[in-house]
């Protein structure tokens, strides 16, 4: 039959693409299931099959598919990364990090893996490792806003205000209409007791996002701190 020989890879790929373009995911998966042995030999087809199984049959079925795929392609960064992201969705974070680390060692140019690992290590409180991976992500994609927001917040957790501000400065230049960088930079200035600059940055954040109540409240608090500091300086 058509899908039983290795030579039919191109035909199967074309058929699957046609079904997917028509929104017929079930038919695409049926074609891949029919050619299951071919999917076990051709990585791109195996990954497409596992992805469709996850989409159509749920995450637990997808986990089994990726587990089998990892046996068929044990040194594939793509397979390990796909499986890691799925496990993260299932809340199996330790195993997800282990697989993502393996994938990143196999393909250290993967921006998405670097960012993923940075976020996981930040959540775990392993801030030095988080900074390392955010730095790797920034080197691979120097115009990705979220990377600098995450990096800055991680430095801020370490009380390294200057480095945090450096990261937020890049973020503000990348997205001057996004309030988050101005907001976070304002909080970093506040923590460094630079209240005038904190007030200025938070005012800009409020202008960009006037409906963000928490930002308005933080601005009001910084204005009060700035006034107190000014009075104290005048009384000296």
């Amino acid at each position: 039959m058509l899908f039983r020989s290795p030579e039919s890879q191109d035909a199967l790929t074309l058929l699957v693409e046609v079904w997917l373009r028509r929104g017929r995911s079930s038919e695409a998966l049926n074609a891949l299931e029919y050619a299951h042995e071919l999917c076990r030999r051709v990585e791109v087809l195996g990954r497409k099959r596992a992805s469709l199984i996850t989409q159509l049959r749920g995450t637990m079925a997808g986990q089994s598919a990726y587990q089998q795929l990892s046996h068929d392609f044990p040194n594939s960064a793509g397979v390990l990364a796909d499986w890691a992201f799925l496990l993260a969705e299932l809340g199996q974070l330790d195993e997800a990090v282990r697989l993502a680390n393996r994938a990143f060692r196999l393909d250290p140019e993967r921006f998405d893996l670097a960012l993923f690992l940075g976020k996981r290590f930040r959540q775990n409180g392993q801030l030095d490792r988080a900074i390392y991976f955010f730095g790797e992500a920034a080197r691979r994609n120097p115009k990705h806003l979220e990377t600098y927001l995450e990096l800055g917040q991680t430095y801020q957790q370490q009380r390294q205000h200057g480095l945090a501000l450096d990261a937020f400065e890049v973020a503000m230049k990348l997205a001057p209409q996004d309030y988050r960088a101005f907001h976070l930079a304002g909080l970093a200035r506040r923590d460094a007791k630079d209240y005038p600059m904190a007030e200025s940055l938070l005012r800009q954040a409020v202008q960009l996002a006037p409906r963000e109540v928490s930002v308005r409240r933080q601005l009001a608090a910084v204005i009060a701190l700035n006034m107190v500091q000014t009075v104290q300086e005048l009384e000296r």
Side-chain angles (χ1 to χ4, degrees):
M1 296 297 291
L2 175 63
F3 300 132
R4 289 182 181 172
S5 65
E7 292 77 17
S8 64
Q9 175 186 343
D10 291 342
L12 176 58
T13 300
L14 179 61
L15 179 61
V16 169
E17 288 179 355
V18 169
W19 284 129
L20 290 176
R21 287 174 185 171
R22 294 180 179 180
R24 306 282 289 275
S25 298
S26 294
E27 283 82 353
L29 178 56
N30 288 339
L32 290 166
E33 292 283 50
Y34 186 81
H36 178 60
E37 289 304 315
L38 181 58
C39 290
R40 295 191 63 180
R41 295 194 297 275
V42 180
E43 180 186 333
V44 66
L45 295 176
R47 290 176 64 187
K48 178 58 70 177
R49 173 178 174 271
S51 175
L52 286 170
I53 287 174
T54 304
Q55 175 186 330
L56 297 173
R57 299 177 187 170
T59 53
M60 296 308 295
Q63 185 174 354
S64 297
Y66 280 115
Q67 187 170 22
Q68 177 60 57
L69 199 59
S70 71
H71 290 301
D72 296 332
F73 302 98
N75 295 315
S76 165
V79 169
L80 292 172
D82 290 348
W83 191 13
F85 297 151
L86 176 60
L87 290 176
E89 290 181 19
L90 293 171
Q92 300 180 35
L93 298 180
D94 289 344
E95 182 64 10
V97 168
R98 187 185 71 81
L99 291 172
N101 258 316
R102 280 182 58 196
F104 189 73
R105 286 195 294 270
L106 289 166
D107 186 359
E109 294 306 310
R110 286 278 300 258
F111 159 77
D112 57 342
L113 285 170
L115 184 60
F116 174 82
L117 287 166
K119 289 181 177 181
R120 296 289 83 76
F121 285 124
R122 182 180 171 224
Q123 289 178 349
N124 293 341
Q126 297 175 264
L127 301 183
D128 286 337
R129 299 193 72 184
I131 286 169
Y132 168 77
F133 281 107
F134 288 138
E136 293 296 298
R139 278 187 281 277
R140 284 152 185 74
N141 189 348
K143 295 186 178 181
H144 190 257
L145 174 64
E146 186 182 357
T147 299
Y148 294 99
L149 296 178
E150 290 280 353
L151 178 60
Q153 290 177 91
T154 309
Y155 277 129
Q156 190 65 4
Q157 286 177 262
Q158 290 191 325
R159 313 294 294 175
Q160 298 191 60
H161 305 304
L163 292 173
L165 287 165
D166 288 344
F168 296 141
E169 186 73 29
V170 174
M172 286 186 282
K173 290 178 180 177
L174 286 174
Q177 299 304 313
D178 192 311
Y179 83 95
R180 292 175 297 169
F182 294 91
H183 175 219
L184 293 169
L187 296 182
R189 289 288 186 181
R190 179 202 63 188
D191 292 347
K193 302 188 185 304
D194 184 355
Y195 301 128
M197 185 57 71
E199 180 179 337
S200 174
L201 288 163
L202 289 173
R203 284 188 185 279
Q204 292 179 74
V206 167
Q207 288 176 355
L208 292 169
R211 295 184 180 180
E212 290 291 333
V213 177
S214 62
V215 180
R216 297 178 71 90
R217 288 174 178 168
Q218 288 165 335
L219 172 59
V222 167
I223 290 172
L225 289 169
N226 195 14
M227 291 176 63
V228 170
Q229 186 181 65
T230 300
V231 170
Q232 289 175 343
E233 289 175 354
L234 289 173
E235 291 177 345
R236 289 175 184 171

